[in-house]
Amino acid sequence: GDSVTQMEGPVTLSEEAFLTINCTYTATGYPSLFWYVQYPGEGLQLLLKATKADDKGSNKGFEATYRKETTSFHLEKGSVQVSDSAVYFCALSIIQGAQKLVFGQGTRLTINP
Amino acid sequence: DTAVSQTPKYLVTQMGNDKSIKCEQNLGHDTMYWYKQDSKKFLKIMFSYNNKELIINETVPNRFSPKSPDKAHLNLHINSLELGDSAVYFCASSQDRVGTEAFFGQGTRLTVV
């Protein structure tokens, strides 16, 4: 079935460090791919997305490229800030009657000053 | 104006009780969802409705019954609550096209004691 696997957390970095959170997916067809972020006590909000192979999504300094050949959508940021501390979810979107989002297990990121 | 609002935000109840969580979206979306987030932050889809019609039911116990009186509302009723039902429940909505953003409510933290 369709699934998303992302790197195990928690991840702890110092401010201004480089961030990579790995995400790979299994899907029939051509899903759209997303990164969502969840700040403490809040719901999920979209961080970035890519709808076809080789597309790059970017927002707030974060980037991810849809790699069909490696079925990956790794999240990167060149210099993280304390305010980036949150839980990050990789997800894919397929049509199963209606749009269905399948999420990875989430990666908790903590940035220390 | 909150795009997706769900009530209550917190719900503490005893085993065996029946409770409801309400969700409303003012985005004009056709598709609404319920997700369950467990203590390890894993997000799993429970139901999806499209224009008031049940589309996805992901092997959820039949103690859980969603109700969609109109396409802007999707309520979740839970009968005979069990300890294992304790989780955060998120309502979300999206347009009915793959690759479109899902908007999430702030979540309802259900604690069964």
Side-chain angles (χ1 to χ4, degrees), chain B residues 43-75:
Chain B
L43 263 170
K44 187 163 169 52
I45 189 167
M46 300 173 69
F47 300 104
S48 166
Y49 267 72
N50 183 268
N51 270 320
K52 303 195 299 173
E53 183 185 341
L54 178 65
I55 301 297
I56 295 171
N57 180 341
E58 288 283 308
T59 322
V60 178
N62 57 16
R63 297 183 296 105
F64 290 78
S65 52
K67 296 259 186 323
S68 183
D70 55 62
K71 76 173 195 176
H73 295 84
L74 180 62
N75 303 324

Side-chain angles (χ1 to χ4, degrees), chain B residues 8 10 27 36-37 44 59-60 66 78 85 94-95 104 106 110-111:
Chain B
Y10 299 98
L27 298 166
K36 179 180 179 181
Q37 186 174 47
K44 187 163 169 52
T59 322
V60 178
I78 316 170
D85 297 331
S94 74
Q95 294 178 348
F104 284 77
Q106 292 223 315
L110 171 66
T111 304

Side-chain angles (χ1 to χ4, degrees), chain A residues 2-6 21-27 31-37 44-51 64 66 71-75 88-94 99-107, chain B residues 35 43 98-102 104:
Chain A
D2 304 298
S3 65
V4 176
T5 303
Q6 55 182 106
I21 301 178
N22 290 337
C23 171
T24 57
Y25 67 90
T26 303
S32 294
L33 300 173
F34 303 81
W35 278 99
Y36 280 83
V37 58
L44 280 73
Q45 51 188 277
L46 180 68
L47 180 60
L48 53 85
K49 71 175 186 181
T51 56
Y66 189 148
T71 61
S72 65
F73 193 55
H74 304 320
L75 182 68
Y88 291 81
F89 293 90
C90 186
L92 65 81
S93 160
I94 55 173
Q99 177 174 231
K100 177 181 172 182
L101 277 172
V102 176
F103 286 90
Q105 68 267 42
T107 302
Chain B
Y35 280 85
L43 263 170
V98 73
T100 57
E101 177 181 358
F104 284 77

Side-chain angles (χ1 to χ4, degrees), chain A:
Chain A
D2 304 298
S3 65
V4 176
T5 303
Q6 55 182 106
M7 82 192 257
E8 294 274 343
V11 173
T12 302
L13 296 172
S14 297
E15 206 165 19
E16 299 183 5
F18 184 85
L19 168 72
T20 300
I21 301 178
N22 290 337
C23 171
T24 57
Y25 67 90
T26 303
T28 51
Y30 303 99
S32 294
L33 300 173
F34 303 81
W35 278 99
Y36 280 83
V37 58
Q38 184 179 26
Y39 298 104
E42 297 185 12
L44 280 73
Q45 51 188 277
L46 180 68
L47 180 60
L48 53 85
K49 71 175 186 181
T51 56
K52 61 184 189 298
D54 301 325
D55 268 3
K56 179 188 279 189
S58 60
N59 186 25
K60 299 181 182 179
F62 291 89
E63 292 183 340
T65 301
Y66 189 148
R67 301 280 186 210
K68 188 173 160 217
E69 62 277 11
T70 53
T71 61
S72 65
F73 193 55
H74 304 320
L75 182 68
E76 296 183 336
K77 185 174 186 182
S79 175
V80 291
Q81 307 300 314
V82 172
S83 57
D84 294 327
S85 299
V87 181
Y88 291 81
F89 293 90
C90 186
L92 65 81
S93 160
I94 55 173
I95 287 291
Q96 185 175 312
Q99 177 174 231
K100 177 181 172 182
L101 277 172
V102 176
F103 286 90
Q105 68 267 42
T107 302
R108 183 182 296 278
L109 173 67
T110 302
I111 307 299
N112 293 322

Side-chain angles (χ1 to χ4, degrees), chain B residues 10-29:
Chain B
Y10 299 98
L11 187 51
V12 181
T13 188
Q14 290 189 325
M15 278 174 53
N17 283 350
D18 303 339
K19 290 293 177 187
S20 291
I21 307 172
K22 297 189 175 185
C23 179
E24 175 182 5
Q25 55 97 3
N26 63 6
L27 298 166
H29 290 159

